[in-house]
């Protein structure tokens, strides 16, 4: 089996990374936070919370493949040195990759894996070969963009200069004169349309409630992002432009990795829905963009549920990309400045609330 056939399975890895900026979550993490509910996805952000001592992270995802990936990442962090973790994850040599050695590292890890996780990856070893940060469908969509589509819009030397600009002023100038051409605008409308993304990047079910012009929303956000966030220091769009990380994600930076490793027993990942996780109070909720996949008229009900399961000092944070979703009965506490600081500028809104 190859990746193309794998993505036809009922359950597959949608995201091998998290595509929400952890620094914006960390910004609103209050001192004394003890319990965190976190959407798993690629597990990056859920793991990142463990840099803070004495927190318990309850990660969840309804997709079993995402849960298996999360458990594999947890086992790798617990058992591997920092250098081995980078190699196993596929960071060390991202473009070529030592595929055979990643299989050897996986075999070394197998005795530490739960049987269901081992069974899954034993039958999908090509995911291990790709590297844990590179095997999601969404990540493969970005690789297609960088390798096949983006070069059709401008010269490769301009793409490289854009990715490596030393200052935001240089980056803005390159974007204005060399990148944001009529070819780029046309390509953007086509490649990031709902139809194309559903075919190649995201499950078509994710667009069920989307009514707005997605390419228009994304283009406006990308224009703002490229004019305010330096690609060279951006693990999110740096990944898109380079097909590797110019700066490592928060949880894979060495100092953070060692703290997370020391606290790795404090994270648990569940194959459950959001509703099923609302069985206790939490001090912080990282809900990614889950409300986009819910009916707008259900937000009143979810506002009540969130309020009931937030502690007195509780905070809830989430993003909107395709659809506008808001919570009622809670106080929004973040400012519009977050829109300019968000390095993962896929999203139209970032919202943070407290009681």
């Amino acid at each position: 089996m190859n990746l193309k056939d794998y993505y036809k399975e009922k359950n597959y890895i949608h995201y091998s990374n998290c595509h929400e900026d952890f620094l914006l979550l960390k910004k609103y993490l209050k001192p004394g936070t003890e319990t965190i509910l976190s959407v798993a996805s690629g597990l990056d952000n859920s793991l990142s919370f463990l840099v803070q001592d004495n927190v318990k992270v309850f990660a969840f995802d309804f997709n079993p493949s995402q849960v298996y990936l999360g458990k594999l990442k947890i086992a790798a962090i617990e058992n591997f040195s920092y250098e081995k973790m980078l190699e196993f994850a596929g960071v060390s040599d991202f473009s070529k990759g030592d595929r055979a050695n990643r299989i050897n590292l996986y075999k070394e890890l197998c005795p530490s894996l739960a049987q269901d996780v081992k069974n899954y990856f034993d039958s999908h070893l090509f995911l291990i070969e790709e590297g844990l940060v590179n095997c999601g469908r969404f990540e493969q969509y970005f690789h297609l963009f960088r390798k096949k589509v983006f070069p059709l819009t401008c010269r490769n030397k301009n793409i490289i200069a854009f990715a490596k600009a030393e200052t935001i002023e240089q980056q803005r100038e390159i974007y204005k004169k060399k990148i944001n051409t009529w070819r780029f605008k046309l390509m953007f409308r086509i490649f990031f349309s709902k139809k194309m993304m559903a075919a190649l990047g995201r499950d078509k079910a994710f667009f069920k409630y989307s009514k707005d012009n997605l390419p228009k929303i994304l283009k406006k956000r990308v224009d703002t992002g490229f004019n305010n966030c330096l690609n060279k220091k951006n693990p999110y769009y740096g990944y898109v432009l380079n097909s590797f990380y110019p700066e490592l994600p928060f949880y894979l930076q060495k100092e953070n990795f060692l703290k997370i490793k020391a606290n790795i027993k404090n994270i648990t990942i569940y194959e459950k829905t959001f509703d099923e996780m609302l069985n206790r109070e939490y001090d912080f909720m990282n809900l990614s963009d889950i409300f986009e996949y819910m009916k707008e008229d259900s937000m009143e009900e979810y506002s009540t549920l969130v309020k009931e399961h937030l502690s007195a000092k509780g905070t809830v944070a989430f993003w909107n990309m395709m659809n506008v979703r808001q919570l009622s009965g809670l106080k929004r506490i973040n400012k519009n400045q977050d829109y300019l600081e968000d390095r993962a500028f896929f999203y139209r809104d970032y919202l943070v609330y407290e009681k």
Side-chain angles (χ1 to χ4, degrees):
M1 181 184 293
N2 55 32
L3 283 171
K4 185 176 180 181
D5 292 331
Y6 168 68
Y7 298 137
K8 296 176 183 178
E9 291 187 1
K10 180 180 180 181
N11 295 307
Y12 57 86
I13 295 172
H14 292 268
Y15 309 102
S16 51
N17 301 275
C18 286
H19 296 280
E20 298 90 20
D21 192 346
F22 179 74
L23 294 186
L24 288 183
L25 293 171
K26 186 173 180 285
K27 183 177 181 178
Y28 295 95
L29 198 62
K30 298 175 182 176
T33 295
E34 296 178 353
T35 54
I36 298 175
L37 178 67
S38 182
V39 172
S41 184
L43 207 71
D44 309 6
N45 288 345
S46 303
L47 288 164
S48 295
F49 287 119
L50 295 178
V51 297
Q52 182 170 314
D53 294 328
N54 304 315
V55 299
K56 298 286 185 182
V57 179
F58 301 83
F60 71 97
D61 205 295
F62 69 89
N63 181 351
S65 299
Q66 296 290 158
V67 175
Y68 298 145
L69 174 65
K71 289 182 176 180
L72 184 63
K73 284 188 177 182
I74 290 170
I77 290 172
E78 186 172 13
N79 289 278
F80 286 156
S81 67
Y82 179 65
E83 291 72 21
K84 275 191 175 182
M85 180 63 190
L86 293 186
E87 186 172 2
F88 184 59
V91 171
S92 298
D93 188 5
F94 207 72
S95 59
K96 299 177 182 177
D98 189 348
R99 303 171 74 91
N101 199 47
R102 282 200 280 272
I103 296 297
N104 291 333
L105 288 171
Y106 170 70
K107 291 176 180 177
E108 183 180 328
L109 194 62
C110 279
S112 304
L113 299 177
Q115 192 61 49
D116 58 343
V117 178
K118 183 179 181 301
N119 290 344
Y120 183 80
F121 286 102
D122 281 352
S123 60
H124 298 88
L125 284 176
F126 54 89
L127 298 175
I128 303 295
E129 291 178 324
E130 288 292 325
L132 300 189
V133 299
N134 197 32
C135 61
R137 190 180 186 220
F138 199 49
E139 286 72 22
Q140 290 295 318
Y141 188 60
F142 285 143
H143 292 327
L144 176 63
F145 169 77
R146 174 61 183 92
K147 294 175 182 178
K148 303 294 185 182
V149 180
F150 200 8
L152 297 177
T153 70
C154 61
R155 294 180 179 180
N156 195 55
K157 69 175 185 178
N158 292 331
I159 297 175
I160 294 172
F162 182 54
K164 295 183 176 182
E166 293 291 336
T167 67
I168 194 64
E169 290 76 18
Q170 290 176 359
Q171 182 173 299
R172 287 171 183 164
E173 189 71 8
I174 295 170
Y175 184 62
K176 179 181 179 181
K177 294 184 176 180
K178 303 294 185 181
I179 303 297
N180 197 27
T181 63
W182 68 267
R183 289 187 180 89
F184 180 79
K185 294 172 184 177
L186 176 61
M187 173 279 300
F188 199 98
R189 287 200 302 270
I190 296 171
F191 194 75
F192 293 103
S193 66
K194 294 177 189 178
K195 184 176 181 180
M196 188 67 74
M197 289 187 74
L200 299 174
R202 306 180 91 202
D203 193 300
K204 64 180 180 181
F206 291 177
F207 299 91
K208 183 176 181 180
Y209 301 112
S210 175
K211 298 178 181 178
D212 293 342
N213 185 326
L214 182 59
K216 184 177 180 179
I217 294 168
L218 287 175
K219 185 61 169 60
K220 179 182 178 182
R221 189 68 187 97
V222 163
D223 289 344
T224 302
F226 281 142
N227 280 290
N228 289 278
C229 299
L230 190 62
N231 296 326
K232 189 178 178 180
K233 297 289 185 180
N234 190 338
Y236 304 98
Y237 268 84
Y239 177 98
V240 176
L241 295 174
N242 295 282
S243 294
F244 64 86
Y245 298 119
E247 181 174 292
L248 288 173
F250 186 90
Y251 81 108
L252 285 178
Q253 294 171 18
K254 189 170 186 178
E255 181 181 357
N256 299 329
F257 173 86
L258 294 176
K259 290 179 181 178
I260 292 166
K261 184 179 180 71
N263 292 325
I264 198 66
K265 296 293 187 183
N266 291 339
I267 186 171
T268 310
I269 182 170
Y270 301 88
E271 185 187 332
K272 290 186 177 182
T273 65
F274 177 47
D275 300 60
E276 290 171 329
M277 294 299 294
L278 294 177
N279 54 6
R280 59 167 299 153
E281 280 192 345
Y282 301 97
D283 296 328
F284 192 92
M285 293 185 182
N286 160 36
L287 300 183
S288 182
D289 61 344
I290 63 170
F291 293 128
E292 295 215 312
Y293 315 122
M294 301 175 184
K295 292 180 180 179
E296 188 172 6
D297 58 15
S298 68
M299 287 307 297
E300 193 67 36
E301 176 187 351
Y302 279 106
S303 296
T304 301
L305 286 172
V306 168
K307 188 175 180 180
E308 288 175 351
H309 293 88
L310 273 181
S311 66
K313 60 183 178 183
T315 304
V316 55
F318 64 94
W319 281 261
N320 291 320
M321 185 179 78
M322 297 178 290
N323 305 313
V324 176
R325 299 287 186 264
Q326 300 181 29
L327 294 176
S328 58
L330 294 161
K331 177 184 176 183
R332 184 175 177 186
I333 60 172
N334 70 315
K335 306 295 184 181
N336 290 334
Q337 180 64 24
D338 290 337
Y339 182 85
L340 300 179
E341 294 175 4
D342 193 345
R343 296 172 300 164
F345 41 87
F346 306 97
Y347 302 96
R348 70 201 297 175
D349 293 311
Y350 173 59
L351 301 99
V352 185
Y353 295 86
E354 65 181 9
K355 283 191 174 181

